[in-house]
Amino acid sequence: MRKFFTMTAAILLLAACGAEKAAHEDKQSGDEAAKQETREHKQGAENKEEDKPKEESTKQEEAVASPEYKLNQNTFALEPIGEANPKVVLLTIDDAPDEHALEMAKTLKKLNAPAIFFVNGHLIDSPEKETVIKEIHDLGFMIGNHTYSHSDLTTLPEEKQGEEILSVNDKVEKIIGEKPKFFRAPFGKNTDYSRKIAEDENMLLMNWTYGYDWEKEYMTGDAIAHIMVDTPLLQDGANLLMHDREWTNDGLERIVDGLRDKGYELLDPALIDTKTE
């Protein structure tokens, strides 16, 4: 009988130990499951947070990519698309980089004033001038095509016209990694062939509304600043032509300030529709 009770006690003890072990294992399993669920929840939250900036960035890129202005091909003024601000002007600098283009770009950068710099190919035929164009582009300014030698295209055969335009596109692409999106013919004189090349190269052909800095009476900083701001030709969407010149460089900050004092916003050329079809 004593043996029977001893065996029974042993069996009950083993059963209790087994139950305790199973309970402990269940607790460990439950704790591990809870930890795993916490990790998955945390990872999901992190993934969600990572996706958020990407979504916002995509929306911002789409917003920047959407054009807000179009170029009137008759007047060469900029017209708003939809509800964009009509009271804007576009700054353009031709004959870059002669002597003052980089300084002008730095002034405009300081003033947060966007512009297009139209380059001549013969002015970037040295490593030093190539570096200048790269610096201007890296400051955030668009580089436009103003032909190689600044010749009157209407006096050249088609083959030569093609060389004048395409060589600059190739050179600019080599320097900054992209071709110009804007083309301006010297003296504003285009031909049917130059228009075709611009279209084939996906460049928007652009002339101007007004400019004065090649006229002798405006070859001082004060004079050019005054006429660029107070001319009766200033209007909504005006396309302002300036050049890489000492006096224009001298008057540039006053021009920007004067335009803004009159309530004009300086148009970012990235907002212009450059589609040529």
Side-chain angles (χ1 to χ4, degrees):
M1 179 67 76
R2 183 180 300 173
K3 185 176 181 180
F4 171 77
F5 283 123
T6 302
M7 291 179 63
T8 301
I11 292 170
L12 290 174
L13 181 61
L14 288 172
C17 290
E20 183 179 353
K21 182 179 180 182
H24 181 69
E25 290 175 349
D26 287 344
K27 185 177 184 301
Q28 285 185 321
S29 178
D31 289 345
E32 185 59 34
K35 290 178 182 178
Q36 180 64 25
E37 182 179 356
T38 300
R39 285 195 295 267
E40 291 175 355
H41 178 75
K42 183 177 179 181
Q43 185 63 46
E46 290 174 352
N47 290 340
K48 188 175 181 180
E49 287 300 315
E50 288 176 1
D51 290 342
K52 187 176 180 181
K54 292 178 182 178
E55 291 172 2
E56 291 176 352
S57 176
T58 301
K59 289 178 181 177
Q60 290 173 356
E61 289 173 1
E62 289 174 354
V64 171
S66 300
E68 296 183 16
Y69 295 85
K70 61 183 178 180
L71 185 70
N72 185 314
Q73 285 293 336
N74 294 316
T75 66
F76 297 103
L78 285 306
E79 300 175 348
I81 298 172
E83 298 182 0
N85 180 18
K87 199 172 181 65
V88 297
V89 292
L90 177 68
L91 302 183
T92 65
I93 314 292
D94 281 15
D95 299 351
D98 193 358
E99 299 294 334
H100 308 282
L102 183 56
E103 185 178 351
M104 295 172 83
K106 289 179 179 179
T107 297
L108 292 171
K109 180 69 174 180
K110 178 187 70 173
L111 300 171
N112 193 28
I116 303 172
F117 282 77
F118 283 96
V119 303
N120 295 125
H122 73 95
L123 294 174
I124 50 177
D125 270 352
S126 71
E128 292 78 15
K129 288 300 181 72
E130 288 183 8
T131 299
V132 169
I133 286 299
K134 181 71 164 56
E135 287 186 53
I136 292 173
H137 177 261
D138 288 347
L139 284 170
F141 296 98
M142 281 204 175
I143 305 299
N145 184 328
H146 197 38
T147 74
Y148 181 82
S149 66
H150 203 278
S151 299
D152 183 343
L153 295 176
T154 63
T155 68
L156 303 178
E158 289 186 351
E159 182 179 357
K160 185 62 176 176
Q161 292 180 53
E163 292 175 4
E164 284 281 326
I165 300 169
L166 296 175
S167 64
V168 175
N169 272 9
D170 292 342
K171 173 79 76 172
V172 169
E173 184 177 26
K174 178 183 176 183
I175 297 170
I176 68 172
E178 60 185 46
K179 292 183 179 181
K181 294 181 174 65
F182 299 94
F183 172 70
R184 175 175 279 164
F187 317 107
K189 294 182 178 181
N190 278 286
T191 66
D192 290 341
Y193 191 64
S194 70
R195 291 178 184 275
K196 182 179 184 304
I197 293 176
E199 182 177 355
D200 290 345
E201 290 288 298
N202 297 313
M203 290 188 293
L204 184 64
L205 189 147
M206 176 181 286
N207 280 355
W208 59 87
T209 304
Y210 67 82
Y212 294 94
D213 63 358
W214 60 89
E215 298 181 20
K216 189 173 182 179
E217 62 183 299
Y218 300 117
M219 291 183 180
T220 67
D222 286 338
I224 192 62
H226 173 74
I227 190 63
M228 291 299 289
V229 174
D230 293 328
T231 174
L233 297 177
L234 177 60
Q235 59 186 320
D236 290 359
N239 192 328
L240 277 54
L241 170 61
M242 295 176 283
H243 293 80
D244 179 343
R245 300 289 183 265
E246 180 181 356
W247 47 92
T248 309
N249 178 37
D250 181 45
L252 187 57
E253 185 165 349
R254 280 168 282 173
I255 292 170
V256 170
D257 290 342
L259 292 168
R260 285 175 168 160
D261 287 344
K262 287 198 168 186
Y264 285 95
E265 178 185 341
L266 303 182
L267 176 59
D268 183 349
L271 298 177
I272 300 173
D273 188 355
T274 57
K275 292 179 181 177
T276 56
E277 60 249 9

